[in-house]
Amino acid sequence: MISDIKEVLYSEEQIRSKARELGKRISEDYRGQEVVCVGILKGSVMFMADLLKEIEIPCYMDFMAVSSYGNSSQSSGIVRILKDLDYEIEGKNVIVVEDIIDSGITLNYLMGYFKSRGAKSIEIACLLNKHERRKVEIDVKYLGYDVEDHFLVGYGLDFAEKYRNLPFIGILKEEVYK
Ligand code: IMP
Ligand code: MG
């Protein structure tokens, strides 16, 4: 598995300290209120766990699963809900927790969805952002890192469901997915 990685971009320690920084900001921004963090399965699980441990205000946890990729490395542009929210979010402060934004299609769709379910406020916390690849504008309030356009794996991110368990974010060698 490690031999498929071209370069390690962010170590576990770097990601943990970034999660601490973002968790602090969230705690300050929502002081005296509650938030519902919605992790997008499965890519966000590692970041979700690290981020939520750093949030010091009451914080509820929910998950959604959507699909826009299949098993290829290119977005199909179609978003399907595979697992919906467990709880109502009407009148709640929602923070969507994502691993990475590429075209922005997934998050753009989800923002509309949460709005239609009556959320009081909706913000995004995302570990990685491929700004060059954006097709729809997305405002990310809590961002970890801006990254170049490489295919990344580890720390929850996969290629064809593999590499999610790597404890760092790495660049996948091109010959593995081309
Ligand atoms: P978007 O809808 O094009 O923004 O796609 C976002 C989703 O694509 C993320 O939640 C990931 O599941 C997946 N994705 C985008 N880029 C990568 C990558 O470099 N590695 C692994 N998954 C990725
Ligand atoms: Mg994802």
Side-chain angles (χ1 to χ4, degrees):
M1 209 165 56
I2 291 278
S3 60
D4 295 343
I5 303 302
K6 189 167 151 191
E7 189 191 323
V8 174
L9 267 192
Y10 301 108
S11 69
E12 187 167 19
E13 291 69 29
Q14 283 175 303
I15 300 168
R16 292 294 292 268
S17 90
K18 184 59 82 176
R20 196 167 310 132
E21 183 189 316
L22 295 175
K24 259 209 191 81
R25 277 181 48 205
I26 290 172
S27 308
E28 281 159 16
D29 292 352
Y30 293 89
R31 192 65 68 195
Q33 303 178 68
E34 295 180 343
V35 291
V36 179
C37 287
V38 179
I40 309 307
L41 295 171
K42 307 171 189 133
S44 73
V45 285
M46 309 261 183
F47 178 52
M48 176 96 167
D50 287 345
L51 180 67
L52 266 61
K53 283 181 275 181
E54 306 294 344
I55 296 179
E56 294 161 353
I57 55 168
C59 175
Y60 297 87
M61 205 193 257
D62 206 342
F63 289 96
M64 276 184 80
V66 296
S67 137
S68 60
Y69 263 49
N71 273 351
S72 96
S73 63
Q74 287 292 308
S75 177
S76 65
I78 299 160
V79 179
R80 261 192 322 141
I81 294 181
L82 305 177
K83 185 222 164 284
D84 206 342
L85 294 167
D86 288 337
Y87 307 107
E88 286 306 323
I89 53 164
E90 197 177 338
K92 311 266 188 199
N93 297 309
V94 172
I95 298 177
V96 193
V97 181
E98 250 292 42
D99 50 356
I100 186 164
I101 313 180
D102 187 68
S103 68
I105 289 168
T106 309
L107 275 173
N108 182 58
Y109 171 82
L110 287 171
M111 298 295 278
Y113 181 70
F114 293 136
K115 230 170 260 166
S116 77
R117 302 257 323 226
K120 175 181 163 197
S121 68
I122 313 162
E123 296 293 352
I124 295 169
C126 189
L127 182 58
L128 304 163
N129 177 35
K130 286 186 190 170
H131 52 282
E132 290 167 47
R133 302 254 312 162
R134 198 59 37 79
K135 285 186 192 143
V136 264
E137 255 336 289
I138 297 281
D139 184 22
V140 188
K141 187 150 185 195
Y142 306 103
L143 175 66
Y145 305 99
D146 267 314
V147 291
E148 304 292 309
D149 182 18
H150 295 116
F151 202 83
L152 306 177
V153 292
Y155 223 81
L157 282 93
D158 73 307
F159 173 66
E161 296 299 323
K162 206 173 158 187
Y163 310 106
R164 290 194 197 275
N165 58 318
L166 290 175
F168 54 80
I169 302 272
I171 300 176
L172 189 62
K173 285 183 181 163
E174 282 189 16
E175 61 260 35
V176 179
Y177 62 91
K178 285 229 163 109

